[in-house]
Amino acid sequence: MARLGPGLAALAICLATPAYADTLIDNVQGQTIGADGHVERFKAMLMDDAGVVKALIHEGEKTPKKGFQYRVDGKGRIMLPGLIDAHVHVMSTGFAALTLDLSETNSLGEALEKIAAYAKAHPDRPWLIGRGWNQERWKLGRFPTAAELDSVVSDRPVWLERADGHAGWGNTAALKAGGVTAATQNPSGGEVIRLADGSPAGVLVDNASNIVAAKVPPPTARDYDAAFALAQRDFYRRGLTAVADMGTEMADWQAFRRAGDANTLYVRIMAYGSGIDSTVQIGGPGPSPWLYADRLRLNGVKLYMDGALGSRGAWLKAPYHDKPDTRGLPRLTQTQLGNLMSRAAMDNFQIAVHAIGDEANAVLLGAMEDLSQTYKGDRRWRIEHAQVIDPADWPIAERVAKSVGLIASMQPVHQTSDRLMAEARLGPERLAGAYAWASAKAHGAVLAFGSDSPVELPDPWTGFAAAISRVDEGGQPAGGWQPQERVGRETALAGYTADAAYAGFAEKHFGRLAPGLRADFIFVDTDPMTATPEAIRKTKVLETWVGGGKVWDTATPEGGAAGAEPVKK
Ligand SMILES: [Zn+2]
């Protein structure tokens, strides 16, 4: 139901007669993508006891005065549908948040203080794991020692990875766990840093660090649950009410299920199994049903066609501009790709394939076109990233889009973060097809926007600003990078809401505010339809509601979901 004339609107209101347990949210500047794909504005919303939208009340229509049990005063604030991140790694986001981060410390003393506080905050964790230290940044002139770590934590192993990942620093308990002694030989490609008497000093370089790293216990179910809670909090406090998890392992799925069973699953998850094996292990004969009142579903499978541009693992048609002896490489042969895609399509698992380089995208599109002869219907095959497309391949994309549906799952913030690197790798000729959001849309793909968290922060506002401007937070480059690939605000909003839901077969459940859909919404302090990109980046999410229950309120941030209303089934 889009913007109805007054007569029809009156009818709609009367069909949605308020019932006793309904909630009216009024006095809002509401905006959502409407059924026609355009922005629809409203001033109030009625939702039922199950957290489902019953009606939107538009300007010029009468707001019901009675019949509902609860009323929420929107205080004139901007109300949007809950945003959706179409490409995250949920558990990696959570584990990154669970790990001690020393990357901002400026001295050994500051790092030790942080380590001590972290140990105190996590008394029951058997190992303390962290990363990010750098003795250069500390101006220490030497590596830190086990004894220094012992001075703050000696009761259990502490293992901290250096900022570049090429060394580890352990306390005595960690060295002991790894069996590292004066007698330990340096492994090839590694070095045990030693004291004058030959005993290990605390830092193990390169291959030597594996001696202790191999002893770090794998995360327990408790660790998974703690990490998941942190990831989820990071999502909903930024205004995300749903995410697509790109590469779900069985242990991840079990953590999501435990949260669902405990009624603490707040953010909706559209899961894509990590390869065919995890997908079949989780889903069995096909995608799972929607579970926990539309909070969790296994949609399909995530596959990898190639690597990344930064490490020159992306598969290009022509050599890298800055390394002419390579054009990257595929991670699957064409036959393997075809077989895996068939295996998934046969059982109606949705297919999502990581493809960065133009050759990877060309081969993937070719495989999609071939398979569309066999597997017909509404498939919505997804290209994850679709980062560099040879404009010559757009006609194939168009044909795939028409026959089975094509999703371009892209991350606007990658464009601003990667710009200089992409220019170096690709040279000037290939930039026209890089991060080509507007072209993808023009050729029939549905744009679903995301962040690839934890690669980037799961912050939809940074992405929204980049999507409409193609400039970074410093306003660079002036006028936008390849500005013809900018998208309009309406497209950006759809990419983070309705179209991201569509990309996960969720459009009948959430993604817009409309009668019959879940009441997932946010209050924000900035209007993304009118504010400057700089202002949009700084958007404050004031409240986040999922399924008619509040899960985040900036006024009580520490409460987080603890102060949430019960999840409505
Ligand atoms: Zn990813």
Side-chain angles (χ1 to χ4, degrees):
M1 192 168 19
R3 319 202 57 183
L4 303 171
L8 278 174
L11 178 67
I13 299 291
C14 115
L15 287 172
T17 308
Y20 181 62
D22 289 352
T23 299
L24 179 77
I25 300 164
D26 66 357
N27 191 19
V28 302
Q29 300 178 54
Q31 310 185 53
T32 179
I33 297 295
D36 62 358
H38 294 298
V39 172
E40 174 183 354
R41 292 169 202 281
F42 57 94
K43 62 174 184 178
M45 186 180 89
L46 193 66
M47 60 187 187
D48 70 14
D49 195 31
V52 172
V53 178
K54 283 184 91 172
L56 297 185
I57 296 105
H58 306 91
E59 207 52 59
E61 294 170 356
K62 257 174 97 180
T63 305
K65 291 277 178 282
K66 56 178 185 201
F68 46 85
Q69 189 175 17
Y70 306 101
R71 176 175 170 264
V72 175
D73 181 357
K75 299 174 191 144
R77 293 174 299 180
I78 295 148
M79 178 174 165
L80 301 170
L83 301 186
I84 302 172
D85 190 316
H87 184 127
V88 298
H89 302 272
V90 174
M91 291 313 309
S92 305
T93 301
F95 280 118
L98 202 58
T99 304
L100 172 61
D101 180 7
L102 298 171
S103 58
E104 302 292 313
T105 57
N106 290 311
S107 68
L108 175 62
E110 192 189 335
L112 291 174
E113 259 172 52
K114 239 184 143 174
I115 295 160
Y118 185 79
K120 208 173 154 207
H122 300 285
D124 45 6
R125 218 168 277 170
W127 277 67
L128 297 176
I129 308 298
R131 66 193 144 82
W133 60 270
N134 182 349
Q135 81 284 358
E136 305 289 333
R137 183 178 167 127
W138 296 343
K139 304 200 171 52
L140 198 57
R142 59 168 174 87
F143 279 128
T145 66
E148 282 158 345
L149 260 185
D150 290 346
S151 73
V152 287
V153 188
S154 56
D155 60 339
R156 52 197 150 142
V158 181
W159 182 243
L160 307 164
E161 204 173 88
R162 194 175 183 274
D164 62 1
H166 283 280
W169 170 30
N171 63 355
T172 300
L175 296 174
K176 215 174 143 193
V180 183
T181 65
T184 305
Q185 302 285 320
N186 289 340
S188 74
E191 187 190 357
V192 177
I193 305 295
R194 297 171 197 272
L195 300 173
D197 65 358
S199 60
V203 167
L204 309 179
V205 178
D206 280 323
N207 284 347
S209 69
N210 298 337
I211 306 171
V212 171
K215 301 292 176 191
V216 174
T220 62
R222 265 200 185 79
D223 297 332
Y224 270 86
D225 293 349
F228 176 67
L230 288 174
Q232 182 171 239
R233 182 178 189 275
D234 204 12
F235 297 145
Y236 59 62
R237 76 188 181 90
R238 297 177 191 276
L240 296 170
T241 55
V243 297
D245 186 39
M246 281 296 154
T248 312
E249 308 273 355
M250 182 48 114
D252 307 345
W253 178 259
Q254 287 168 321
F256 305 159
R257 292 295 304 256
R258 282 194 297 276
D261 292 343
N263 224 3
T264 54
L265 178 56
Y266 300 110
V267 172
R268 305 185 191 280
I269 300 175
M270 301 174 275
Y272 294 80
S274 175
I276 283 286
D277 290 348
S278 293
T279 303
V280 170
Q281 205 185 0
I282 294 167
S288 77
W290 282 103
L291 302 165
Y292 312 112
D294 295 346
R295 279 183 172 75
L296 179 63
R297 182 178 186 250
L298 177 78
N299 279 358
V301 64
K302 164 80 182 299
L303 302 171
Y304 282 87
M305 192 62 228
D306 65 347
L309 212 48
S311 52
R312 299 192 188 82
W315 192 25
L316 300 178
K317 290 189 174 186
Y320 277 83
H321 182 69
D322 58 357
K323 199 169 188 294
D325 62 350
T326 181
R327 54 189 196 99
L329 71 174
R331 285 171 65 164
L332 296 171
T333 65
Q334 247 160 290
T335 312
Q336 285 170 324
L337 174 69
N339 287 345
L340 291 170
M341 287 176 67
S342 286
R343 174 72 187 78
M346 215 180 286
D347 286 336
N348 290 310
F349 288 114
Q350 191 187 3
I351 298 167
V353 187
H354 165 119
I356 303 263
D358 52 5
E359 181 72 355
N361 277 285
V363 168
L364 175 58
L365 283 167
M368 286 177 167
E369 187 171 32
D370 283 351
L371 289 171
S372 68
Q373 312 296 319
T374 310
Y375 303 101
K376 297 185 188 296
D378 183 8
R379 300 269 169 180
R380 304 185 199 177
W381 286 338
R382 299 174 59 129
I383 307 184
E384 300 305 317
H385 312 304
Q387 222 161 70
V388 189
I389 308 242
D390 180 347
D393 293 323
W394 287 125
I396 317 178
E398 252 173 62
R399 292 195 294 272
V400 173
K402 263 198 198 103
S403 58
V404 291
L406 180 65
I407 309 293
S409 167
M410 303 178 83
Q411 299 73 37
V413 68
H414 283 169
Q415 183 270 303
T416 48
S417 300
D418 295 358
R419 173 171 63 90
L420 298 175
M421 180 274 287
E423 285 179 353
R425 298 284 181 278
L426 298 172
E429 263 88 68
R430 284 174 286 195
L431 297 182
Y435 313 87
W437 315 317
S439 293
K441 182 178 159 69
H443 292 287
V446 172
L447 286 178
F449 283 150
S451 66
D452 205 11
S453 169
V455 175
E456 302 274 358
L457 292 176
D459 180 33
W461 310 105
T462 315
F464 197 111
I468 61 169
S469 69
R470 291 179 75 99
V471 300
D472 62 20
E473 59 186 335
Q476 293 301 315
W481 190 79
Q482 303 283 329
Q484 72 281 3
E485 295 295 342
R486 271 193 296 243
V487 298
R489 291 168 193 261
E490 193 167 83
T491 300
L493 181 62
Y496 282 106
T497 59
D499 290 350
Y502 178 86
F505 284 96
E507 74 279 8
K508 295 199 175 86
H509 303 266
F510 54 85
R512 299 187 295 120
L513 292 168
L517 301 194
R518 299 283 174 183
D520 299 351
F521 57 90
I522 54 179
F523 289 114
V524 294
D525 70 347
T526 304
D527 183 351
M529 292 297 123
T530 55
T532 62
E534 305 90 88
I536 293 171
R537 277 172 199 282
K538 295 187 192 118
T539 300
K540 267 208 183 67
V541 175
L542 306 169
E543 292 178 22
T544 302
W545 295 60
V546 182
K550 184 161 52 168
V551 302
W552 166 259
D553 189 330
T554 192
T556 52
E558 288 319 308
E565 297 177 12
V567 176
K568 289 170 182 169
K569 288 284 172 186

